[in-house]
Amino acid sequence: MNIVVLDGYAANPGDLSWEPFRQFGELTVFPRTAAEDVIARASKADIILTNKVQFPREVLQQLPQLKLIAILATGYNTVDCEAAHQLGIAVANIPAYSTESVVQMVFAHLLNVCLRVEHYANDVRKGRWSNNSDFCYWDTPLLELAGKTLGIYGLGNIGRRVAEVANAFGLRVIAHTSKAQEDLPAYITKVDFKELLQQSDVLTLHCPLTKDTHHLINGETLQLMQPTAILINTGRGPLVDEFEVAEALETGCLKAYCADVMGNEPPAADNPLLQVPNAFITPHIAWATFEARQRLMQIALENVKAFINGTPQNVVNSF
């Protein structure tokens, strides 16, 4: 087997090892691969491991030796899965490896808005507390979560875990989901989308990106939200219309926007969300804890082993 890793740097910048994959055959690891280099680097590959490299039909058609694309992520929209199926190429992903880490990022963002810990820590480091007239000071609103309403759009693995943690914080939890109320924990109340927008003090998005959820949050839906609401997006950047969100922040129609994902990554330098107050953007790192990446590498290894042994797992294209 000829195994090629096309963009291995993000998953493994050097603190993990690709060596276990060598048990299956020849291994070549590229940290990054530009679009124009994909075919040359992948032309003799039986198995490709990749995260963000694009595989449209016209690329797949030029890779006759390819048998498996092992995605180093949960999302697999980078591959034309229908074309892969027609060409006899299996596509396997890695589900649920980053749930705990993403949930942790959701609450890191939320607690940052509520208490602005880094802001105050930096101030103290600069001597502001030492020179203060009183025993304490604050110059931002300080918010308590208990008793407020957290709304969740999408109750998959991450959404359910967010709900569990929110309940522990004393938040009232509501959710827009296809699941029946009787199948939900007692602390989650199912609501329709309009009620979700209107009632949420905090709204967090945990749904797939589809044609129905593209720009789910836009100028119209933002008008239904409370001006004091906090919007969190650790799902996919295009779930929100970034220009409309920036305008809502600038005009006081939304309190804060917290995101670990953007519509284009990396974002353009002139994206308004990079400048507008109360937009808190992290560079798509919720998945990237050491522990989550360890799980990712282990499941990727298991996906390759299972495929070679004739018992494919985590295949997403009905191979």
Side-chain angles (χ1 to χ4, degrees), residues 242-257:
E242 293 174 348
F243 292 92
E244 295 284 4
V245 170
E247 183 177 351
L249 291 169
E250 288 177 334
T251 58
C253 295
L254 184 68
K255 178 180 177 61
Y257 178 59

Side-chain angles (χ1 to χ4, degrees), residues 149-154 172 174-177 189-205 213 215-232 239-240 245 253-255:
T149 297
L150 181 135
I152 304 173
Y153 192 102
R172 170 182 175 245
I174 61 175
H176 181 67
T177 175
T189 300
K190 179 175 178 175
V191 296
D192 64 32
F193 185 39
K194 184 176 180 181
E195 291 172 317
L196 186 81
L197 294 167
Q198 291 175 330
Q199 296 181 29
S200 294
D201 296 302
V202 181
L203 175 59
T204 181
L205 307 177
T213 60
H215 286 186
L216 178 76
I217 303 300
N218 53 50
E220 182 178 346
T221 52
L222 283 163
Q223 289 297 316
L224 295 173
M225 295 180 67
Q226 303 174 47
T228 55
I230 300 165
L231 175 62
I232 303 175
L239 294 175
V240 310
V245 170
C253 295
L254 184 68
K255 178 180 177 61

